[in-house]
Amino acid sequence: MSTPYDLPTDTSKIKEFEWDDHYDFPRDLVGYGENSFDPKWPGGAKIAVSFVINYEEGAEHTVLNGDMHSETHLWEAPGGAPKIQERAVNIESEYDYGSRSGVWRLFRLFNKFNYKYTLYAVGKAIEDNPAVGISSVKNGHDVASHAYRWIDYANMPPEQEKAYIKKEIETIAKICGEPPKGWYYGRLSSRSQALVWEVYKEMGVPLLWDSDSYADDLPYWVDVPAEKNEKDPKGMLMIPYSYDCNDYKFNVPTGFGSPTHFYDHVKNAFDTLYEEGCEGSPKMMTIALHCRCIGKPGRFMALKRIVEYIASKENVWVATRTQIAEHFREKFPYEKGYLAPGVKRAEASNTINAWPAHKAAPV
């Protein structure tokens, strides 16, 4: 990948990266390795399928939420520059379609097939439309956190981010009856995962899983840096997410050109993972959805065909992310330094001191 075009010409003025023992999680470039890992899905299932509905409408960048600029991400006419201190009414109404129409089209489909989804709920979004969270709970679905605002957190001060995390937990608990058991940011900072763990611990709320990872087709444990010196560390269970089978790709130049492309891509991914499961290496698959994307009538039928196709297969476990986490935690409890019992983590500690390409190597 090329160097971002907006870096300063004189890179010597850029502050060198410093590893933070409290926030930074080591990389693992090995994972489960060639022989994979058998998650022993319930009933001998060959694959676990997780449908995720991202509910962000009303929590995006907009001056109505006190932001400096309007949102340009994930709508039907991408590419425009943010409007500073001005409403982007056309973009707002595109998001409004998701909350007014798209979300209910998706809910009806999954309720019809009795397939449980995980709702990635942005707190501000369900504050504006509580019926979305209430309906999900009423019908037995999983409501997880997608942060309080659907904005970039990269440059937010840690204390402000912690306040947002706490407000999100409280908001979902108030509307849905209990705090979220899982968390997914998507637009996180390098500190976010550690801060989420920290706030949950301070509030005495159980955090069963985190999904800010795209690293695998299976759940896995990580050690939490802040628990380094604790006698009884709990670790953090990662339930990997996916940008691959994700309807956001309708809105990017390299993404899906039509509903048929979406159907073919998701079906191929399912078939590959299902085949691996039949060969003795069961996997997990995430199908990520957005109300304003796949909720459009012309695209929706592709999702309906996917659901019908999956329903026609045997030995498939369609589960929420919390159900997957609960299964994994019961069967494969956390052990410090291990992805799962018997599979030691291979932390790439040498990457911390790897020599940067833009500097001369030491003699």
Side-chain angles (χ1 to χ4, degrees):
M1 193 171 183
S2 60
T3 301
Y5 66 88
D6 57 347
L7 283 179
T9 304
D10 184 3
T11 56
S12 65
K13 296 181 180 180
I14 299 176
K15 183 181 178 181
E16 290 189 15
F17 168 76
E18 295 182 7
W19 186 265
D20 191 305
D21 286 333
H22 184 78
Y23 294 125
D24 286 320
F25 288 74
R27 293 181 70 181
D28 175 2
L29 301 174
V30 177
Y32 286 113
E34 182 178 3
N35 296 322
S36 189
F37 180 80
D38 185 357
K40 301 187 185 303
W41 298 134
K46 306 305 180 185
I47 185 173
V49 177
S50 168
F51 286 101
V52 174
I53 300 176
N54 293 266
Y55 189 71
E56 302 153 347
E57 281 70 13
E60 77 280 0
H61 285 290
T62 168
V63 295
L64 298 179
N65 286 334
D67 301 316
M68 290 291 291
H69 63 84
S70 57
E71 184 65 69
T72 63
H73 190 59
L74 273 181
W75 73 294
E76 295 295 332
K83 295 185 178 182
I84 306 298
Q85 295 289 25
E86 182 181 341
R87 290 185 66 188
V89 178
N90 52 352
I91 299 176
E92 290 171 9
S93 66
E94 186 66 47
Y95 277 76
D96 293 348
Y97 184 91
S99 64
R100 292 161 60 115
S101 297
V103 65
W104 303 115
R105 188 168 287 126
L106 296 182
F107 282 12
R108 286 193 295 270
L109 174 66
F110 289 110
N111 289 335
K112 176 182 177 181
F113 279 82
N114 197 28
Y115 276 176
K116 303 307 179 186
Y117 58 76
T118 293
L119 185 75
Y120 278 175
V122 180
K124 178 65 170 64
I126 62 170
E127 276 184 339
D128 292 340
N129 192 0
V132 169
I134 294 170
S135 173
S136 295
V137 172
K138 178 183 176 181
N139 288 289
H141 303 288
D142 181 25
V143 180
S145 170
H146 196 11
Y148 180 71
R149 289 287 313 284
W150 193 65
I151 56 177
D152 298 305
Y153 289 85
N155 298 314
M156 184 176 289
E159 290 307 313
Q160 182 181 358
E161 188 173 352
K162 285 186 67 174
Y164 268 115
I165 295 168
K166 182 178 180 182
K167 187 171 180 61
E168 165 72 345
I169 295 171
E170 293 173 340
T171 298
I172 291 183
K174 179 180 178 181
I175 294 173
C176 300
E178 63 177 0
K181 295 182 175 69
W183 194 283
Y184 172 72
Y185 259 110
R187 303 169 88 170
L188 72 170
S189 74
S190 61
R191 300 175 295 274
S192 293
Q193 285 178 302
L195 290 174
V196 167
W197 173 88
E198 190 173 293
V199 174
Y200 268 79
K201 183 178 181 181
E202 291 175 356
M203 294 180 68
V205 176
L207 177 64
L208 298 190
W209 55 271
D210 185 286
S211 278
D212 279 298
S213 168
Y214 312 92
D216 215 309
D217 298 312
L218 287 171
Y220 62 92
W221 288 99
V222 295
D223 298 331
V224 177
E227 291 186 317
K228 184 177 181 179
N229 298 317
E230 293 194 10
K231 293 182 179 180
D232 185 27
K234 304 300 182 184
M236 181 182 287
L237 181 62
M238 306 304 297
I239 306 291
Y241 191 50
S242 173
Y243 278 150
D244 182 50
C245 295
N246 192 316
D247 68 352
Y248 97 100
K249 292 166 70 174
F250 279 116
N251 300 79
V252 295
T254 57
F256 304 125
S258 72
T260 301
H261 292 167
F262 173 82
Y263 173 81
D264 288 344
H265 186 91
V266 176
K267 178 181 176 296
N268 287 344
F270 175 87
D271 287 344
T272 297
L273 297 174
Y274 187 76
E275 181 179 285
E276 290 180 6
C278 291
E279 293 172 349
S281 297
K283 297 295 193 301
M284 170 188 161
M285 178 182 183
T286 297
I287 301 175
L289 311 167
H290 296 75
C291 309
R292 62 191 177 278
C293 295
I294 203 70
K296 298 290 174 57
R299 296 170 180 157
F300 175 75
M301 291 304 292
L303 173 63
K304 184 173 182 289
R305 289 177 61 204
I306 285 292
V307 172
E308 291 171 342
Y309 180 74
I310 291 173
S312 73
K313 297 293 184 178
E314 296 180 348
N315 298 318
V316 176
W317 183 37
V318 177
T320 69
R321 299 177 93 69
T322 294
Q323 288 174 325
I324 292 171
E326 289 173 340
H327 166 84
F328 203 87
R329 295 174 76 93
E330 179 184 350
K331 294 287 185 181
F332 312 106
Y334 170 69
E335 294 181 14
K336 186 175 182 180
Y338 287 79
L339 294 167
V343 186
K344 191 168 178 59
R345 186 177 305 104
E347 293 181 355
S349 56
N350 61 318
T351 62
I352 297 173
N353 298 313
W355 203 257
H358 64 271
K359 292 188 177 183
V363 178

